[in-house]
Amino acid sequence: MHTPTPSLPPEAPRRARRKEARPGELIEAALALFVEKGFAATRVEEVAARAGVSKGTLFLYFPSKEDLFKAVVRDTVAGRFPEWADELAEFQGDSVELVRYAMHTWWERVGMTPASGITKLVMAEASTFPEIASFYQNEVVAPGHDLIRRILQRGIDRGEFREMPLDYAVYSLIAPMIFLLMWKHAMTPCAPPSQQIDPLTFIDTQVDLILSGMLKRNQ
Amino acid sequence: MHTPTPSLPPEAPRRARRKEARPGELIEAALALFVEKGFAATRVEEVAARAGVSKGTLFLYFPSKEDLFKAVVRDTVAGRFPEWADELAEFQGDSVELVRYAMHTWWERVGMTPASGITKLVMAEASTFPEIASFYQNEVVAPGHDLIRRILQRGIDRGEFREMPLDYAVYSLIAPMIFLLMWKHAMTPCAPPSQQIDPLTFIDTQVDLILSGMLKRNQ
Amino acid sequence: MHTPTPSLPPEAPRRARRKEARPGELIEAALALFVEKGFAATRVEEVAARAGVSKGTLFLYFPSKEDLFKAVVRDTVAGRFPEWADELAEFQGDSVELVRYAMHTWWERVGMTPASGITKLVMAEASTFPEIASFYQNEVVAPGHDLIRRILQRGIDRGEFREMPLDYAVYSLIAPMIFLLMWKHAMTPCAPPSQQIDPLTFIDTQVDLILSGMLKRNQ
Amino acid sequence: MHTPTPSLPPEAPRRARRKEARPGELIEAALALFVEKGFAATRVEEVAARAGVSKGTLFLYFPSKEDLFKAVVRDTVAGRFPEWADELAEFQGDSVELVRYAMHTWWERVGMTPASGITKLVMAEASTFPEIASFYQNEVVAPGHDLIRRILQRGIDRGEFREMPLDYAVYSLIAPMIFLLMWKHAMTPCAPPSQQIDPLTFIDTQVDLILSGMLKRNQ
DNA sequence: CATGAATGAGACTTCATTCAT
DNA sequence: TATGAATGAAGTCTCATTCAT
């Protein structure tokens, strides 16, 4: 599935890589370029060059640029939720800690990695590729929504959080994440230093505020 | 702002000479199409057709597609902040109401109008048009940031909100707005009914939660 | 016919010019621009602007850009030969002087005036406008050829010049003229000072040499 | 020089890969068309078709139509002067013969070949491409001027020609050549038989006359 | 007559995709 | 399997020409 960014033996010369690695490397290259320049403004030749192969080779693995795009989304997004769900189900500790842990984990495993670009990408190209947007809906949005909902429900069940309309409360946690990704990929390169956002400070501040609003009054 | 399509005589003359109205109509058409399909996927001929003119006429008013895009951003975004700033400075009432009023006003004047697409557009094309992204930073992001900061400061000064790190607290209000716009333009068309967000409910829920986190404990 | 370059009452304001002057002014403007930039690279709007009228007005007088071109050539070239022929027929003095006189006259009346550009123009566009080239052949080349031939014949008849194959000898005088015009219009703007040609020195030098070759040996 | 169209197998494969040969073939095709129709009136697609490739292939080798034009001039004109200079430096025989030899050689190697069109082309497009005109000045005009000057100087040094102002005397030989090229490319196709110029007769006649003017009187 | 806004055919150029090697 | 030269559809932009005012 998704090729983790590092972990290629660095001594392996580019030309000698195994054939099996090709699709992953192409996808990795495409992800970076699509995120950076958008789908239309990225030339397949650039993707191929960045992956160290020729233009023709790319078409050996992906029938078209659009298919490459779909593969990028599918592959990068691919099922990390089950694993997370387990992790969170087994979490010991109060729900405030759980929320903090979840957000930090998200940042470390998604937000700060190249995979984070996928969200920006999907948002930017959603109307051009409705199929992809739907896929993202099903594979990322819905599971993510569920995961967070379960976390909040846990807090309510344990008497830590007050009752709240969960359908919308989950967006209190999703919105900062989405915002952070969009900011990181779209505005950071153009923002003056005074407008730069430090991700961890941002996350902690948002989570503190949100939690403080969610906690039962008498705490 | 641009002139809304004026009452065209229904008999629609073929080659009407309407120099004053053209730029606004072209910008309006371009905004809709750019938001819907992205900058690259929109053909200038489509924009012209939607504005009811020929391809050549577009280039009479905008030297290039890129200039048209810049004009769209500039025109749609153009200086609404001074007016808002005044309005908010004169606001009578407590800061909770002010925050609610500000968010509702934003939704009515930006969020629910076609202008909302600008944000999505800028985010999507930021790396292709750094100049535009910078412009947006300066003309929209920075003033918006200031406006919200002033609102929160007012609440603190009046003893309604507790002390908080304002630089990041403002994002508690910005993030839901940005999120809502991205969602509206990117995911809504592809989301199943169960995942649809009702904007006003969303805003109210977020604001309630955030405010409840910002209020002084002893309230 | 051909509007002589100066001689417009300078006090006449541009806007108040008589309508009858328009075609001549357009032709004058077109000649200058066609010579400077070539037919294709000259925009009719530029011609109109230089003549102080609008684009539409130009098409009131000339049905098309091509017709304007033809008018430029026809009008600028128009019959000056009869007059010259008379002048030269009445010339008193030896044929060496006559040749010198003819060449100097040509320079003053054609070579140094804007009309000189017409030759460059016709040569440059001959293959695109064969009809124009033919016209130029008939109206300029053939009469010019005849005129020079008559001059040389006179020298032979009077025993000043030796016998020579006239058909080709005339080119000994034509070639320097054509060369000078091409040089002036094509290379002068790009040539370093060391390669600049002073027209009168050039003419005198060429004529001296040619005459010295034409004169009877025993002189 | 460019590679003359090599013996193509008559079965003409559709998508032959002939990277080495393409630029030369495109330049050859472009030379012919530019000379025939002018730069602006020649469509790149025509050039490509004449070279037997598709439009896209042309842009594989030349970034723009303008670059193609520059390449045509550069390639066709490219350094033939050193070779000629040597040849003339080693010439045995009197200077009259040398001048005749030089002129005939020029005709055979330039005047009668497609390369002759370059001069017409440069003259016609000089103001549109000042850079090209400058290049031509430096690469062709100046060296040609020098070469002829050296020939005349040789004649003077050997006591064959009389003293003369060399700066302008060289034009006595250059002017007929330029004239001949312009005539050939511009007027010949449109001239009636009676006005056709036979190049060799023309050259011989001009050279005879010029030499006869240059020779020492007592010869 | 004059204007200049509007038109649309046409040209250059790009780049995803194909395919001979 | 890999390459990269070749293709051609598609898109931006220009500008001669038209025509409502």
Side-chain angles (χ1 to χ4, degrees):
Chain A
M1 274 299 177
H2 167 260
T3 311
T5 315
S7 88
L8 269 180
E11 67 275 17
R14 283 230 125 189
R15 304 246 107 202
R17 283 166 322 199
R18 305 175 313 282
K19 304 193 246 280
E20 304 83 51
R22 287 279 159 74
E25 284 162 22
L26 284 162
I27 283 175
E28 191 185 340
L31 170 60
L33 288 167
F34 285 162
V35 168
E36 185 189 327
K37 317 170 66 158
F39 175 78
T42 298
R43 285 168 22 225
V44 292
E45 194 159 16
E46 287 178 272
V47 176
R50 190 179 176 125
V53 300
S54 76
K55 201 171 14 166
T57 303
L58 187 152
F59 284 92
L60 238 40
Y61 293 100
F62 304 96
S64 75
K65 189 186 181 187
E66 204 166 317
D67 286 295
L68 172 62
F69 179 70
K70 291 175 185 169
V72 166
V73 177
R74 260 188 283 271
D75 190 84
T76 308
V77 141
R80 234 164 346 212
F81 282 103
E83 168 199 357
W84 290 13
D86 292 351
E87 229 173 300
L88 298 174
E90 291 162 10
F91 189 85
Q92 307 294 329
D94 68 37
S95 297
V96 166
E97 279 173 53
L98 174 54
V99 168
R100 285 209 176 94
Y101 174 74
M103 295 294 276
H104 283 155
T105 301
W106 168 82
W107 176 250
E108 279 157 22
R109 299 200 196 158
V110 178
M112 67 185 290
T113 73
S116 71
I118 209 69
T119 301
K120 188 239 174 180
L121 192 50
V122 170
M123 298 258 169
E125 312 292 344
S127 36
T128 316
F129 300 97
E131 191 191 336
I132 283 292
S134 280
F135 172 81
Y136 194 77
Q137 265 288 346
N138 298 330
E139 298 296 315
V140 180
V141 174
H145 201 280
D146 281 358
L147 202 57
I148 293 172
R149 172 188 275 263
R150 242 174 287 135
I151 292 174
L152 296 185
Q153 186 67 57
R154 178 186 189 267
I156 296 169
D157 291 348
R158 291 168 54 126
E160 295 160 324
F161 299 160
R162 45 169 151 141
E163 293 291 331
M164 49 188 155
L166 278 190
D167 279 340
Y168 283 83
V170 292
Y171 291 118
S172 298
L173 289 171
I174 292 177
M177 292 193 283
I178 300 296
F179 170 82
L180 188 54
L181 293 190
M182 296 309 301
W183 217 251
K184 174 183 166 190
H185 289 287
M187 304 309 285
T188 296
C190 312
S194 70
Q195 303 266 349
Q196 297 292 340
I197 294 179
D198 173 66
L200 288 177
T201 308
F202 173 83
I203 291 175
D204 286 339
T205 313
Q206 302 307 313
V207 169
D208 280 352
L209 184 70
I210 291 160
L211 286 177
S212 135
M214 284 179 170
L215 287 178
K216 286 217 156 155
R217 287 290 162 99
N218 59 359
Q219 285 193 308
Chain B
M1 279 306 91
H2 58 256
T3 314
T5 321
S7 52
L8 271 179
E11 60 272 20
R14 293 291 132 173
R15 284 168 75 113
R17 291 163 70 98
R18 298 169 54 253
K19 188 182 185 181
E20 304 309 322
R22 294 291 188 228
E25 290 165 10
L26 285 162
I27 283 175
E28 194 182 343
L31 170 58
L33 287 166
F34 284 163
V35 169
E36 185 190 326
K37 318 171 61 160
F39 175 80
T42 300
R43 300 207 315 283
V44 292
E45 199 158 12
E46 287 178 274
V47 175
R50 184 187 250 253
V53 299
S54 75
K55 197 176 20 166
T57 302
L58 189 152
F59 287 97
L60 222 51
Y61 294 99
F62 304 96
S64 73
K65 190 186 180 185
E66 197 167 325
D67 284 290
L68 172 63
F69 180 64
K70 290 177 185 170
V72 167
V73 176
R74 253 187 289 270
D75 187 85
T76 309
V77 137
R80 252 191 303 239
F81 282 102
E83 170 199 354
W84 290 11
D86 292 351
E87 231 172 295
L88 297 174
E90 290 162 12
F91 188 84
Q92 307 293 330
D94 67 38
S95 298
V96 166
E97 280 173 54
L98 176 52
V99 168
R100 286 207 176 94
Y101 174 74
M103 295 294 277
H104 284 153
T105 302
W106 169 82
W107 175 249
E108 280 157 22
R109 299 198 195 159
V110 178
M112 67 186 291
T113 73
S116 71
I118 283 296
T119 301
K120 188 237 172 180
L121 201 46
V122 170
M123 299 256 171
E125 310 291 347
S127 36
T128 315
F129 301 99
E131 196 189 332
I132 286 287
S134 278
F135 171 81
Y136 196 77
Q137 262 292 342
N138 298 330
E139 299 295 314
V140 180
V141 173
H145 201 279
D146 281 358
L147 205 58
I148 293 173
R149 172 188 276 264
R150 240 173 290 136
I151 293 174
L152 297 185
Q153 186 66 58
R154 178 186 189 268
I156 295 170
D157 292 345
R158 292 169 53 125
E160 296 161 323
F161 298 160
R162 47 169 148 139
E163 294 291 333
M164 49 189 156
L166 281 189
D167 280 338
Y168 282 83
V170 292
Y171 290 118
S172 297
L173 290 171
I174 292 177
M177 293 194 281
I178 299 295
F179 169 82
L180 187 54
L181 294 190
M182 296 308 301
W183 218 250
K184 173 184 167 191
H185 289 286
M187 305 309 287
T188 296
C190 313
S194 70
Q195 301 267 350
Q196 295 293 338
I197 294 180
D198 173 66
L200 287 177
T201 310
F202 173 84
I203 289 174
D204 286 339
T205 314
Q206 301 308 311
V207 169
D208 280 352
L209 184 68
I210 291 161
L211 284 176
S212 132
M214 283 179 172
L215 288 177
K216 286 214 157 159
R217 291 285 165 104
N218 57 1
Q219 285 193 309
Chain C
M1 272 301 178
H2 166 260
T3 311
T5 314
S7 88
L8 269 182
E11 67 275 16
R14 282 230 126 188
R15 305 245 105 201
R17 282 166 323 198
R18 305 174 316 281
K19 305 191 247 279
E20 303 82 51
R22 288 278 158 73
E25 285 163 21
L26 283 162
I27 282 176
E28 191 184 339
L31 171 60
L33 288 167
F34 285 163
V35 168
E36 185 190 327
K37 316 169 67 156
F39 174 79
T42 298
R43 289 179 6 235
V44 293
E45 194 159 16
E46 287 179 273
V47 176
R50 189 179 177 124
V53 300
S54 76
K55 202 173 12 167
T57 304
L58 187 152
F59 284 91
L60 239 40
Y61 293 100
F62 304 96
S64 75
K65 189 186 181 186
E66 203 166 318
D67 286 295
L68 172 62
F69 179 71
K70 290 174 184 167
V72 166
V73 177
R74 258 189 284 271
D75 191 85
T76 308
V77 140
R80 242 181 322 234
F81 282 104
E83 169 199 356
W84 289 12
D86 292 351
E87 228 173 299
L88 297 174
E90 290 162 11
F91 188 84
Q92 307 295 328
D94 67 38
S95 297
V96 167
E97 279 173 55
L98 176 54
V99 168
R100 286 209 175 94
Y101 174 75
M103 295 293 277
H104 284 153
T105 302
W106 168 82
W107 176 249
E108 281 157 21
R109 299 197 195 160
V110 177
M112 67 184 291
T113 73
S116 71
I118 209 70
T119 302
K120 185 234 174 184
L121 193 49
V122 170
M123 298 258 171
E125 311 292 344
S127 36
T128 316
F129 300 97
E131 191 190 337
I132 283 292
S134 279
F135 172 82
Y136 195 78
Q137 264 288 348
N138 298 330
E139 298 296 314
V140 180
V141 173
H145 201 279
D146 281 358
L147 202 59
I148 293 172
R149 172 189 276 265
R150 239 172 290 135
I151 292 174
L152 296 185
Q153 186 66 57
R154 178 186 189 267
I156 295 169
D157 293 347
R158 291 168 55 124
E160 295 160 323
F161 299 159
R162 46 170 150 138
E163 293 291 332
M164 49 189 155
L166 277 190
D167 279 340
Y168 283 83
V170 292
Y171 291 119
S172 298
L173 290 171
I174 291 177
M177 292 193 283
I178 300 295
F179 170 82
L180 188 54
L181 293 190
M182 296 308 300
W183 217 251
K184 173 182 166 189
H185 289 288
M187 305 309 285
T188 296
C190 313
S194 71
Q195 301 267 350
Q196 296 292 339
I197 294 179
D198 174 65
L200 287 177
T201 309
F202 174 83
I203 290 175
D204 286 339
T205 314
Q206 301 308 312
V207 169
D208 279 352
L209 183 70
I210 291 161
L211 285 176
S212 134
M214 283 180 172
L215 287 178
K216 287 215 156 158
R217 288 289 164 99
N218 57 0
Q219 284 193 311
Chain D
M1 280 304 88
H2 58 258
T3 314
T5 321
S7 53
L8 271 178
E11 60 271 20
R14 291 292 131 174
R15 284 169 73 115
R17 291 162 69 98
R18 297 170 53 253
K19 189 182 185 180
E20 304 309 322
R22 294 292 188 226
E25 290 165 11
L26 285 162
I27 283 175
E28 193 182 343
L31 171 59
L33 287 166
F34 285 162
V35 169
E36 184 191 327
K37 317 172 63 160
F39 175 79
T42 299
R43 300 206 315 282
V44 292
E45 197 158 12
E46 289 178 273
V47 176
R50 184 186 251 253
V53 299
S54 75
K55 199 173 17 165
T57 302
L58 188 153
F59 286 96
L60 221 51
Y61 294 99
F62 304 96
S64 73
K65 189 186 181 186
E66 197 168 323
D67 284 292
L68 172 63
F69 180 64
K70 290 177 185 170
V72 167
V73 176
R74 254 187 288 270
D75 186 85
T76 310
V77 138
R80 248 187 308 236
F81 281 102
E83 170 199 355
W84 290 11
D86 291 352
E87 231 173 294
L88 297 174
E90 289 163 12
F91 188 85
Q92 307 292 332
D94 68 38
S95 297
V96 166
E97 279 173 54
L98 176 53
V99 167
R100 285 208 176 93
Y101 174 73
M103 297 293 277
H104 284 154
T105 302
W106 168 82
W107 176 250
E108 280 157 22
R109 299 197 195 161
V110 178
M112 67 185 291
T113 73
S116 71
I118 282 295
T119 301
K120 188 238 172 181
L121 200 46
V122 169
M123 299 255 171
E125 310 291 348
S127 37
T128 314
F129 301 99
E131 196 190 333
I132 285 289
S134 277
F135 171 82
Y136 196 76
Q137 263 291 344
N138 298 329
E139 299 296 313
V140 181
V141 174
H145 200 281
D146 280 358
L147 204 58
I148 294 174
R149 172 189 275 265
R150 239 172 291 135
I151 293 175
L152 297 185
Q153 186 67 57
R154 178 185 188 268
I156 296 170
D157 291 346
R158 291 169 52 125
E160 295 161 322
F161 299 159
R162 48 170 148 137
E163 294 290 332
M164 49 189 156
L166 279 189
D167 279 338
Y168 283 83
V170 292
Y171 290 117
S172 298
L173 290 170
I174 291 176
M177 293 193 282
I178 299 295
F179 170 82
L180 187 54
L181 294 190
M182 297 308 301
W183 219 249
K184 171 184 169 192
H185 288 287
M187 305 310 287
T188 296
C190 314
S194 70
Q195 302 267 349
Q196 295 293 340
I197 294 179
D198 173 66
L200 287 177
T201 310
F202 173 83
I203 289 174
D204 285 339
T205 315
Q206 300 308 312
V207 170
D208 279 351
L209 183 68
I210 291 160
L211 285 176
S212 133
M214 283 180 172
L215 287 177
K216 286 218 156 157
R217 292 286 166 101
N218 58 359
Q219 284 194 307

